[in-house]
Amino acid sequence: MDRMASSMKQVPNPLPKVLSRRGVGAGLEAAERESFERTQTVSINKAINTQEVAVKEKHARTCILGTHHEKGAQTFWSVVNRLPLSSNAVLCWKFCHVFHKLLRDGHPNVLKDSLRYRNELSDMSRMWGHLSEGYGQLCSIYLKLLRTKMEYHTKNPRFPGNLQMSDRQLDEAGESDVNNFFQLTVEMFDYLECELNLFQTVFNSLDMSRSVSVTAAGQCRLAPLIQVILDCSHLYDYTVKLLFKLHSCLPADTLQGHRDRFMEQFTKLKELFYRSSNLQYFKRLIQIPQLPENPPNFLRASALSEHISPVVVIPAETSSPDSEPVLEKDDLMDMDASQQSLFDNKFDDIFGSSFSSDPFNFNSQNGVNKDEKDHLIERLYREISGLKAQLENMKTESQRVVLQLKGRVSELEAELAEQQHLRQQAADDCEFLRAELDELRRQREDTEKAQRSLSEIETQEQLEVLESLKQELATSQRELQVLQGSLETSAQSEANWAAQIAELEKERDSLVSGAAHRDEELSALRRELQDTQLKLASTEESMCQLAKDQRKMLLVGSRKAAEQVIQDALNQLEEPPLISCAGSADHLLSTVTSISSCIEQLEKSWSQYLACPEDISGLLHSITLLAHLTSDAISHGASTSLRAPPEPADSLTEACKQYGRETLAYLAALEEEGTLENADSTAMRNCLSKIKAIGEELLPRGLDIKQEELGDLVDKEMAATSAAIETATARIEGTASPKEFYAKNSRWTEGLISASKAVGWGATVMVDAADLVVQGRGKFEELMVCSHEIAASTAQLVAASKVKADKDSPNLAQLQQASRGVNQATAGVVASTISGKSQIEETDNMDFSSMTLTQIKRQEMDSQVRVLELENELQKERQKLGELRKKHYELAGVAEGWEEGTEASPPTLQEAVTEKE
């Protein structure tokens, strides 16, 4: 009764105010409702009070059972609304804990009955957020978590409050739609972020240097984390499974943000689980799982089988002080017999009971009548036995804690000794560095003093000499005056007096002339100093002009090199035999996109160069990049036009030429610093738009090949080509003799067979290169070159087949369709190669933090020299490649018997068979 009265004094919530709103019924239902409300009010007030202790499990369990009894949370909110949650932080913290339990384990209608109060929860969260100490921030963050939990379960009603779902139910929640799974994963990230925020804030508010988990105040803050741990284990498990599902449907680049966010939350959750498992408070209440050492690899689908769902185990509360009966004896004595029996009867109807054969006889359990003293004695015995067991457990636990603390003390002493040693070493190093710093400061001060005195030392010497002369002159004058006075008073002769006066005047004149000479020398020194200063200023100006000329020379050299690269590409465009057939429309479009970005970067670098001429590296890089991208675009456009119909091919060639000329004009406008207005990139952009439009028209339509099927498609196409060649050869040997066939079409047949062998050879080399790449000993560039060669050889076969085939030949159409398939497959191989290369390559970030300004400038000059050397080597290699292609074209024509003035490639064997038939 004392505890009941104390609780009622702490919380201004008298029972009659709650019960007065209910009508007093004369029947059984009214009495049952009144008894239920009284019991719930007592339990809620005991669970949510101002004492800084953890919420007792028996009171929270009564609140949970009450929501199942009335199928909602009306009574809970009617009591809570009268609590001063906005004025007592501990009271608000314990309310959050109980409300979290109800959302997890209470009746499903608890969420519906609580939605009307979510605005009040938000306002209370903002109010408590203004407090930076104590429970203020904890209450603010916990209320935000509860608001997020309510919104999540409202938006996703398939998820129960305790988040326990099977894999099938998880799939049904997404409705087999990848968009739903994507959005669901984002919402789970937000949900888990709120949980981790509360987790981290509670740990930061505790003094972990002491055993806070065994104190009442520490347990009050740690108790709600049990619900957080239960939520986090399920959210982490579901997030892993959804990410594997998304990676099986979407590209890896699209999910890069998901992977980064998961990695951040994985690191936080792993650390918090580890720290929680070491706290004594959690060891007796919950078994916290440990996350794996490394996060799951979502790029490998088979890693899902290695994932183990974290399972949180709550041991049976056999010896917990909270496992006593829900209603205490003092509380039962406050209730009349009829009200208590009605409540027990309703309780037994819901949950079952074996305590009494008569549900309305509260004092006769197991058929034995006992008076109040017997009940009290039995209860005291049970409490004494429980306390003894608790005492033994506490002794055992304290001994174990003492041993752990002793071991921890030994470890801390060892760490302290090591830290002291490191501290001493750091102090010695600091003292040494401080001495070096003082020495450097002294040297710098001496140097500055020497520099300041260098221009003043000579003048100072002259001033000192002049001052000494003036002093000598004053002394002589004083002596002269003394002599004059003595001569006036002496009795010397007038002749001696005049002679002495003349001698002194002569000496005075010599001193005056010496002083004038010294003044002239001083003026000369001043003029010499001014001349030296003027020369120094001129030298500095010439150095600035020299640096400006060097930058201008670098700019002109880079521009000329870029113009040469573009001009060479335009020259190759005029010579079809030198153009490679390895390009495609998708390569052209990709290059056009890169050029647009490069133009924007070039304009920005040019503006920066005009504002700060010293910063020229970005401008040089942009000019060089524009030149190479322009050359690639012209090459891809030329190779694409060779395989395109005549009309779009001519338009594409002309657009590439026009773009090259406009680029040369744009680079020429960058020669002078004052021609920013003349350097207009509008014409270049118009040409790029035209090239892009033509390239999009030339893209192959209607073929959607998955990336994992590209390798199989290449193998199928090569097998089909080999089978066609063998079938055609067999049909030629049935229909006519080899002598007759070769006598009629010997050169054509040899050329066709040579082209077919080229296709097979390219496929063999590509397979070997792919094996080496998988083993880590190959190059991605070899795969790209082989793919280009296969596409070129296939195009040569198609062109040769058109020589003797009819326009409407079905075999020709079939061959063209197969050629397009090969082109798509090779393009896919190139795209996959580029993607794989970008994923594997690691960017080498250089550390320039320890380099001085002079070293950075030297490195910059070395890099510019290296860029020019590489550009020169690239230009020579392009010329060499053009000569090799030209020579290959000539030798292939002679070896395969191509006739001048006819088509450049022989027809296919299938058309030969058709013609023979």
Side-chain angles (χ1 to χ4, degrees):
M1 291 298 293
D2 294 336
R3 285 183 291 176
M4 181 65 180
S6 175
S7 176
M8 293 302 294
K9 290 179 181 178
Q10 294 167 356
V11 182
N13 184 36
L15 295 178
K17 292 184 179 180
V18 179
L19 302 179
S20 61
R21 297 178 300 168
R22 308 292 184 182
V24 180
L28 181 63
E29 184 176 356
E32 178 184 351
R33 181 65 186 179
E34 184 179 359
S35 175
F36 168 76
E37 288 181 350
R38 181 186 297 273
T39 305
Q40 287 294 303
T41 303
V42 171
S43 298
I44 293 172
N45 286 326
K46 287 190 175 183
I48 306 174
N49 54 46
T50 59
Q51 297 178 1
E52 194 175 1
V53 295
V55 176
K56 287 190 176 183
E57 187 65 22
K58 62 179 182 178
H59 301 315
R61 190 185 303 117
T62 302
C63 297
I64 295 173
L65 294 177
T67 61
H68 288 279
H69 172 73
E70 68 172 350
K71 296 181 174 58
Q74 295 88 348
T75 303
F76 173 77
W77 283 108
S78 66
V79 177
V80 168
N81 285 335
R82 296 183 176 273
L83 298 178
L85 301 180
S86 300
S87 60
N88 193 303
V90 176
L91 196 70
C92 182
W93 175 255
K94 300 178 78 169
F95 156 74
C96 295
H97 184 191
V98 175
F99 184 44
H100 197 173
K101 279 179 168 288
L102 294 183
L103 289 176
R104 280 188 51 84
D105 302 324
H107 194 273
N109 290 334
V110 171
L111 177 61
K112 297 180 182 179
D113 295 338
S114 304
L115 290 177
R116 70 184 69 176
Y117 301 102
R118 54 184 176 182
N119 293 331
E120 287 81 352
L121 296 180
S122 299
D123 296 338
M124 196 182 306
S125 174
R126 286 192 295 271
M127 187 273 295
W128 285 116
H130 295 295
L131 298 180
S132 59
E133 297 180 355
Y135 283 87
Q137 286 293 327
L138 295 178
C139 293
S140 176
I141 296 174
Y142 206 168
L143 289 169
K144 290 179 182 178
L145 169 60
L146 296 176
R147 173 70 182 267
T148 302
K149 184 177 181 66
M150 293 168 62
E151 292 177 349
Y152 178 83
H153 290 285
T154 302
K155 188 180 297 184
N156 303 282
R158 294 177 182 268
F159 284 81
N162 57 10
L163 294 173
Q164 293 182 1
M165 297 180 67
S166 63
D167 294 343
R168 181 180 59 82
Q169 292 173 331
L170 184 62
D171 293 337
E172 292 175 355
E175 299 178 355
S176 301
D177 188 353
V178 67
N179 296 320
N180 294 341
F181 285 124
F182 190 93
Q183 181 63 27
L184 187 61
T185 305
V186 174
E187 294 173 359
M188 283 191 177
F189 279 143
D190 297 338
Y191 194 173
L192 185 57
E193 187 70 24
C194 293
E195 301 274 2
L196 294 176
N197 192 15
L198 176 62
F199 217 146
Q200 187 67 48
T201 306
V202 171
F203 272 88
N204 293 339
S205 67
L206 297 175
D207 186 5
M208 304 307 294
S209 62
R210 300 182 300 171
S211 301
V212 294
S213 65
V214 298
T215 63
Q219 292 177 2
C220 182
R221 300 192 182 192
L222 292 174
L225 295 187
I226 296 178
Q227 311 301 317
V228 176
I229 292 172
L230 293 171
D231 288 343
C232 289
S233 62
H234 292 297
L235 290 174
Y236 167 77
D237 183 35
Y238 300 153
T239 303
V240 172
K241 294 177 180 178
L242 289 178
L243 283 177
F244 273 110
K245 187 179 294 294
L246 288 176
H247 278 78
S248 64
C249 302
L250 297 176
D253 295 340
T254 305
L255 300 173
Q256 182 63 43
H258 279 47
R259 292 196 300 274
D260 294 342
R261 193 171 183 186
F262 174 82
M263 177 61 69
E264 179 182 358
Q265 294 186 351
F266 172 82
T267 304
K268 292 182 180 179
L269 186 61
K270 180 180 177 181
E271 179 185 0
L272 293 173
F273 273 10
Y274 175 75
R275 295 176 63 183
S276 301
S277 61
N278 293 328
L279 293 179
Q280 186 63 34
Y281 175 70
F282 289 125
K283 288 183 178 180
R284 67 184 183 86
L285 297 177
I286 188 173
Q287 294 182 7
I288 303 175
Q290 297 300 320
L291 298 186
E293 185 68 23
N294 298 317
N297 184 8
F298 300 108
L299 301 179
R300 183 167 57 90
S302 60
L304 178 60
S305 60
E306 303 172 2
H307 170 66
I308 300 177
S309 300
V311 179
V312 179
V313 180
I314 299 180
E317 300 176 349
T318 55
S319 61
S320 174
D322 297 338
S323 61
E324 60 191 48
V326 175
L327 296 179
E328 300 178 359
K329 179 63 179 180
D330 297 336
D331 301 333
L332 293 175
M333 292 178 65
D334 291 340
M335 300 182 182
D336 54 78
S338 61
Q339 294 173 345
Q340 182 176 342
S341 61
L342 291 174
F343 177 78
D344 293 341
N345 184 30
K346 188 62 179 177
F347 183 87
D348 296 339
D349 292 340
I350 298 175
F351 302 98
S353 174
S354 61
F355 295 119
S356 174
S357 59
D358 185 3
F360 295 95
N361 187 4
F362 179 79
N363 292 323
S364 60
Q365 296 182 357
N366 296 327
V368 180
N369 294 324
K370 296 182 179 180
D371 56 10
E372 183 178 348
K373 292 184 178 180
D374 294 336
H375 281 289
L376 182 58
I377 291 172
E378 288 185 3
R379 179 186 173 190
L380 291 176
Y381 275 122
R382 288 196 302 270
E383 289 181 354
I384 291 173
S385 300
L387 290 175
K388 288 182 178 180
Q390 292 181 24
L391 181 60
E392 293 297 329
N393 292 335
M394 291 178 64
K395 288 181 179 180
T396 305
E397 186 66 21
S398 62
Q399 292 176 358
R400 188 176 64 83
V401 171
V402 168
L403 293 177
Q404 289 181 351
L405 291 177
K406 288 182 179 179
R408 182 56 179 168
V409 168
S410 301
E411 294 177 359
L412 292 176
E413 289 177 351
E415 291 180 1
L416 178 61
E418 183 179 0
Q419 292 296 330
Q420 290 177 348
H421 177 67
L422 295 176
R423 176 184 175 185
Q424 185 63 33
Q425 287 183 348
D428 297 338
D429 294 340
C430 183
E431 187 66 27
F432 177 75
L433 292 176
R434 187 180 293 107
E436 287 188 348
L437 181 60
D438 294 337
E439 180 66 20
L440 291 176
R441 288 178 177 174
R442 186 184 61 78
Q443 293 180 0
R444 186 183 67 180
E445 293 175 355
D446 294 340
T447 304
E448 292 177 353
K449 290 180 180 178
Q451 291 178 352
R452 287 195 302 268
S453 62
L454 180 62
S455 60
E456 300 175 0
I457 185 170
E458 295 181 356
T459 303
Q460 185 67 25
E461 291 177 355
Q462 296 299 328
L463 292 175
E464 292 176 357
V465 173
L466 181 61
E467 185 68 20
S468 63
L469 290 175
K470 289 181 179 179
Q471 292 177 359
E472 291 177 1
L473 179 60
T475 303
S476 299
Q477 289 178 351
R478 286 193 300 270
E479 292 177 355
L480 180 60
Q481 292 176 359
V482 172
L483 289 174
Q484 288 177 351
S486 62
L487 287 174
E488 290 176 355
T489 58
S490 66
Q492 294 179 355
S493 62
E494 184 179 357
N496 293 334
W497 179 77
Q500 291 180 358
I501 292 214
E503 184 179 356
L504 290 175
E505 289 179 350
K506 183 178 180 181
E507 184 178 357
R508 184 191 63 182
D509 295 337
S510 64
L511 290 175
V512 171
S513 63
H517 181 68
R518 291 294 183 183
D519 290 337
E520 292 178 357
E521 290 182 353
L522 179 61
S523 300
L525 289 174
R526 289 177 177 174
R527 288 193 299 271
E528 184 178 356
L529 179 60
Q530 293 177 355
D531 294 339
T532 304
Q533 292 177 348
L534 292 175
K535 290 180 181 179
L536 180 60
S538 177
T539 303
E540 292 178 351
E541 183 177 358
S542 62
M543 291 295 294
C544 295
Q545 184 63 32
L546 178 60
K548 182 178 180 181
D549 294 340
Q550 290 179 350
R551 291 193 297 269
K552 187 174 182 181
M553 290 175 60
L554 287 173
L555 178 61
V556 172
S558 176
R559 182 181 58 80
K560 289 183 178 180
E563 292 177 351
Q564 184 63 35
V565 171
I566 298 174
Q567 189 61 46
D568 292 342
L570 291 174
N571 295 337
Q572 292 182 4
L573 188 63
E574 300 294 340
E575 301 178 6
L578 301 182
I579 298 175
S580 172
C581 296
S584 61
D586 54 349
H587 296 154
L588 178 61
L589 294 177
S590 176
T591 306
V592 168
T593 304
S594 301
I595 290 175
S596 300
S597 302
C598 182
I599 292 174
E600 296 178 358
Q601 184 63 31
L602 178 58
E603 292 176 345
K604 185 184 298 183
S605 301
W606 179 252
S607 301
Q608 294 177 354
Y609 171 70
L610 295 181
C612 181
E614 288 79 7
D615 187 9
I616 196 176
S617 58
L619 180 60
L620 296 178
H621 174 73
S622 300
I623 292 176
T624 303
L625 180 61
L626 177 62
H628 290 298
L629 290 176
T630 301
S631 176
D632 293 341
I634 295 174
S635 301
H636 290 322
S639 59
T640 303
S641 63
L642 290 179
R643 293 182 296 218
E647 184 176 354
D650 296 339
S651 301
L652 181 59
T653 302
E654 185 60 29
C656 291
K657 292 180 180 179
Q658 182 64 26
Y659 168 67
R661 291 192 290 268
E662 294 295 340
T663 305
L664 291 176
Y666 179 77
L667 292 177
L670 298 178
E671 182 175 1
E672 297 296 336
E673 295 184 0
T675 57
L676 178 61
E677 295 79 4
N678 298 332
D680 189 6
S681 61
T682 305
M684 297 170 57
R685 296 180 186 273
N686 293 336
C687 294
L688 287 175
S689 301
K690 186 176 181 181
I691 294 174
K692 182 177 180 181
I694 299 174
E696 290 176 349
E697 293 178 358
L698 296 178
L699 283 175
R701 308 295 183 184
L703 187 60
D704 186 9
I705 303 175
K706 294 183 179 178
Q707 190 167 347
E708 58 268 18
E709 298 176 359
L710 291 176
D712 298 336
L713 181 60
V714 173
D715 294 337
K716 292 179 181 179
E717 292 294 338
M718 297 310 303
T721 303
S722 301
I725 294 173
E726 294 176 358
T727 304
T729 303
R731 292 181 62 183
I732 291 174
E733 297 174 356
T735 57
S737 63
K739 183 176 181 181
E740 294 177 355
F741 182 80
Y742 287 115
K744 183 177 181 180
N745 300 303
S746 59
R747 291 185 177 180
W748 174 81
T749 304
E750 292 174 358
L752 186 63
I753 294 176
S754 177
S756 302
K757 290 181 178 179
V759 175
W761 173 81
T764 303
V765 174
M766 183 177 68
V767 173
D768 295 337
D771 292 337
L772 293 177
V773 169
V774 172
Q775 297 173 6
R777 296 185 290 107
K779 298 180 179 179
F780 286 99
E781 288 77 6
E782 293 180 359
L783 283 176
M784 298 171 65
V785 172
C786 292
S787 301
H788 292 164
E789 290 298 329
I790 291 174
S793 300
T794 305
Q796 183 180 357
L797 281 174
V798 175
S801 301
K802 294 181 179 179
V803 175
K804 295 183 177 294
D806 295 335
K807 182 179 180 180
D808 300 329
S809 174
N811 293 330
L812 180 61
Q814 182 180 1
L815 180 61
Q816 291 176 343
Q817 181 66 23
S819 175
R820 285 192 292 269
V822 173
N823 289 336
Q824 288 290 335
T826 54
V829 171
V830 173
S832 300
T833 302
I834 295 175
S835 176
K837 183 179 180 182
S838 63
Q839 293 181 4
I840 293 178
E841 289 182 345
E842 295 181 357
T843 304
D844 186 11
N845 294 324
M846 301 182 63
D847 184 14
F848 302 106
S849 60
S850 62
M851 298 178 65
T852 63
L853 178 61
T854 305
Q855 292 175 343
I856 292 177
K857 186 64 177 177
R858 180 58 183 270
Q859 291 287 344
E860 181 181 354
M861 295 179 63
D862 293 341
S863 299
Q864 293 177 357
V865 172
R866 182 58 178 164
V867 168
L868 295 177
E869 291 176 355
L870 291 176
E871 290 177 352
N872 189 21
E873 293 178 4
L874 178 62
Q875 181 63 24
K876 292 180 180 180
E877 198 66 26
R878 289 182 183 275
Q879 294 177 356
K880 180 179 178 181
L881 179 60
E883 294 297 330
L884 289 173
R885 288 175 175 171
K886 184 175 180 180
K887 191 64 177 178
H888 176 267
Y889 186 85
E890 295 174 356
L891 294 177
V894 175
E896 299 178 5
W898 298 350
E899 297 179 0
E900 298 182 358
T902 62
E903 291 76 6
S905 300
T908 62
L909 288 177
Q910 294 183 357
E911 265 53 27
V913 175
T914 304
E915 180 185 9
K916 190 67 178 179
E917 292 177 351

